[in-house]
């Protein structure tokens, strides 16, 4: 029987610790969000982020913009937040509607305020192993492994999925000094994925393929982390067949309640880090 990694509980610990640090230092930390249009799920995500920021003792600011806004006006809004010393973290909720160019907007977010860790500059810092802000979902996976003391040093980790949002940055984080895993980055062209996963001590599934990681992918005692989210007729399911894998694995994340809450926790951790980096510069 695997240890079930409770992402919601670890999120609450991180929120409490961020709050303690902010109160201890007596600083104001401000997270700004930008939402274009009235997409319902995006509105809910943004509202949750504000609620959690408040719970972590932060101030938050929201810029709501009409879906018909021009590229130039959107860029002006983001540039104003970039220049505002009272704003420490900027999050532009993606995807942007219509023909707005997200890349050009993200280019305006300074790396020290890039709490999503998605800009070219932040990715460059990650690759160069320089201090900076790293994408929240990959960071959340690492924090879960650390919190549950899953051994990583010298262990074999497979990341399934190579996107620049999740899989690729996660593979870089896992290979970093201090984590020291031996990383395999798998994708849809990988041959014998089940065999590759069976050789691994840690499997991280970020492919968005419902329940693709079955018991035959997992060797006894492995840690299995589920990042994938698929909307099916049976509701939201992850990439891992939890019922089949849980009796074999050493650790496993539930879905929901695993990596999802950790993503938002790491957004708050990043916002605090952003404020500290800005104070030191
Ligand atoms: P992408 O669609 O950008 O990338 C999916 C990756 O998985 C690609 O590299 C693709 O390979 C690979 N892949 C697809 N099918 C297979 C397969 N059968 N075998 C092996 N690899 C495969 O998705 P994202 O990286 O943005 O997100 C991944 C999942 O994580 C999604 O379900 C998303 O909803 C979820 N997610 C969850 C979050 C959370 O907080 N829990 C946050 C962010 C995302 P190839 O490159 O060859 O096409």
């Amino acid at each position: 029987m695997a240890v079930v990694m409770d992402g919601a509980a670890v999120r609450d610990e991180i929120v409490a610790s961020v709050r303690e640090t902010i109160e201890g230092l007596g600083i104001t930390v401000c997270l700004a969000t930008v939402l274009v249009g009235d997409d319902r799920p995006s509105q809910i995500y943004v509202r949750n982020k504000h609620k959690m920021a408040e719970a972590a003792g932060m101030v938050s600011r929201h810029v709501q913009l009409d879906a018909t806004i021009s590229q130039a006006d959107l860029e002006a809004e983001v540039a104003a937040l970039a220049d505002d010393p009272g704003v420490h973290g900027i999050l532009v909720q993606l995807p942007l509607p219509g023909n707005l160019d997200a890349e050009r907007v993200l280019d305006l977010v300074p790396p020290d305020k890039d709490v999503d860790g998605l800009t070219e500059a932040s990715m460059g810092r990650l690759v160069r192993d320089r201090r900076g802000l790293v994408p929240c979902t990959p960071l959340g996976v690492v924090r879960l492994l650390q919190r549950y003391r899953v051994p990583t040093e010298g262990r074999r980790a497979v990341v399934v999925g190579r996107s620049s949002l999740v899989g690729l940055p996660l593979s870089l984080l896992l290979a970093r000094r201090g984590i020291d895993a031996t990383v395999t980055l798998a994708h849809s062209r990988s041959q014998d994925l089940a065999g590759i996963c069976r050789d691994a001590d840690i499997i991280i599934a970020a492919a968005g393929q419902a329940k693709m990681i079955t018991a035959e992918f997992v060797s006894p005692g492995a840690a299995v982390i589920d990042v994938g989210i698929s909307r099916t007729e049976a509701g939201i399911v992850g990439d891992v067949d939890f019922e089949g894998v849980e009796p074999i694995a050493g650790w496993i994340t539930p879905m929901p309640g695993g990596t999802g809450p950790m993503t938002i926790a790491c957004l708050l951790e990043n916002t605090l880090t952003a404020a500290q980096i800005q104070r030191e510069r």
Side-chain angles (χ1 to χ4, degrees):
M1 288 269 280
V3 172
V4 177
M5 302 165 103
D6 186 343
V10 181
R11 173 202 59 203
D12 292 345
E13 289 173 12
I14 292 175
V15 168
S17 133
V18 167
R19 186 178 188 104
E20 209 174 287
T21 305
I22 289 173
E23 287 174 356
L25 294 172
I27 55 174
T28 302
V29 175
C30 175
L31 171 67
T33 55
V34 178
L35 178 59
V36 186
D38 53 8
D39 177 60
R40 268 302 280 162
S42 294
Q43 284 176 335
I44 294 167
Y45 293 145
V46 169
R47 201 175 314 137
N48 282 340
K49 286 167 186 171
H50 283 273
K51 222 165 65 188
M52 295 308 297
E54 196 183 317
M58 292 178 188
V59 178
S60 56
R61 203 187 289 181
H62 181 56
V63 180
Q64 175 67 51
L65 300 168
D66 201 88
T68 57
I69 193 167
S70 68
Q71 180 77 29
D73 288 349
L74 172 57
E75 288 179 14
E77 294 281 354
V78 173
L81 294 173
D83 287 341
D84 186 338
V87 169
H88 302 99
I90 303 172
L91 184 147
V92 180
Q93 186 68 39
L94 300 176
L96 295 176
N99 47 12
L100 293 167
D101 183 343
E103 289 297 329
R104 276 168 52 204
V105 174
L106 290 183
D107 282 346
L108 294 166
V109 177
D112 288 348
K113 294 190 178 186
D114 177 23
V115 287
D116 255 346
L118 293 178
T119 63
E120 260 178 47
S122 294
M123 294 293 272
R125 287 180 177 185
L126 175 59
V127 172
R128 299 285 309 275
D129 206 10
R130 291 179 57 195
R131 188 174 187 208
L133 300 164
V134 300
C136 303
T137 300
L139 183 60
V141 170
V142 170
R143 291 286 178 259
L144 260 189
L145 293 171
Q146 290 171 326
R147 172 63 181 76
Y148 281 89
R149 298 181 188 282
V150 175
T152 54
E153 187 183 332
R155 305 301 165 105
R156 283 164 301 191
V158 175
V159 179
V160 184
R162 58 178 162 183
S163 74
S164 58
L165 177 67
V166 186
L168 182 62
L170 181 54
S171 69
L172 293 167
L173 279 178
L174 290 168
R176 260 187 170 177
R177 232 173 273 281
I179 309 287
D180 296 308
T182 303
V183 182
T184 300
L185 185 55
H187 44 77
S188 68
R189 302 296 175 93
S190 298
Q191 289 180 9
D192 186 22
L193 186 61
I196 294 170
C197 289
R198 265 196 312 275
D199 279 342
D201 304 296
I202 300 164
I203 301 168
I204 296 149
Q209 301 293 316
K211 299 193 181 188
M212 68 173 286
I213 306 293
T214 56
E216 65 155 15
F217 285 61
V218 180
S219 63
V224 183
I225 314 285
D226 194 353
V227 177
I229 299 173
S230 302
R231 286 174 177 79
T232 69
E233 281 177 6
I236 289 180
V237 293
D239 284 358
V240 177
D241 171 22
F242 186 92
E243 282 70 32
V245 168
E246 192 264 345
I248 304 165
W251 295 264
I252 191 167
T253 53
M255 175 63 69
T259 53
M262 291 304 293
T263 295
I264 200 156
C266 289
L267 170 69
L268 302 174
E269 180 184 322
N270 272 349
T271 308
L272 175 58
T273 306
Q276 286 171 324
I277 291 175
Q278 286 160 59
R279 268 160 57 95
E280 288 163 21
R281 289 215 200 273

